[in-house]
Amino acid sequence: MPTVQVGDLKDDDFLLDVREDDEWQAGHAEGALHIPLSEFTARYGELTEAAPQDGRIHVICRSGGRSAQVTMYLVQQGIDAVNVDGGMQAWSAAGRAVVTGDGTPGHVL
């Protein structure tokens, strides 16, 4: 399983958040693309349109389980994808910004 630590992420890295809507609304990484795991296969085209053509997709969830599933699927499709170890919990613990839809501070559910 290709994995990356939160501390290794750069501000301009492409981030895919696969948490559910209530988790996303409570707080997420600014600039992340949100496609819940429960809708992932139906909305796969949104990812292929938004993701950088030759870039890496960094997949994140709350703690790393759901994002690991999506990462494995993407790797099987030949896409350069990595799981963000520890998920949004590690993101928040590292002091990275967590925001709501209107840009105000959020929290990780």
Side-chain angles (χ1 to χ4, degrees):
M1 163 74 61
T3 304
V4 67
Q5 302 298 314
V6 168
D8 295 331
L9 292 171
K10 297 183 225 49
D11 289 340
D12 61 345
D13 283 338
F14 185 85
L15 194 63
L16 170 65
D17 190 323
V18 297
R19 297 175 303 145
E20 295 304 315
D21 287 336
D22 61 331
E23 296 171 288
W24 170 264
Q25 291 168 3
H28 55 270
E30 190 170 7
L33 173 66
H34 178 230
I35 302 177
L37 177 60
S38 62
E39 302 172 12
F40 186 74
T41 53
R43 295 176 57 189
Y44 181 73
E46 291 177 42
L47 173 62
T48 58
E49 287 179 18
Q53 291 300 316
D54 294 321
R56 175 171 281 177
I57 297 173
H58 301 82
V59 188
I60 197 166
C61 66
R62 181 175 185 266
S63 60
R66 290 171 283 179
S67 54
Q69 294 175 43
V70 172
T71 299
M72 288 306 296
Y73 174 80
L74 293 173
V75 168
Q76 289 170 351
Q77 305 307 308
I79 295 171
D80 182 9
V82 294
N83 188 32
V84 178
D85 191 42
M88 285 300 296
Q89 289 177 323
W91 179 276
S92 179
R96 305 289 289 259
V98 177
V99 298
T100 62
D102 63 6
T104 58
H107 65 278
V108 178
L109 282 183

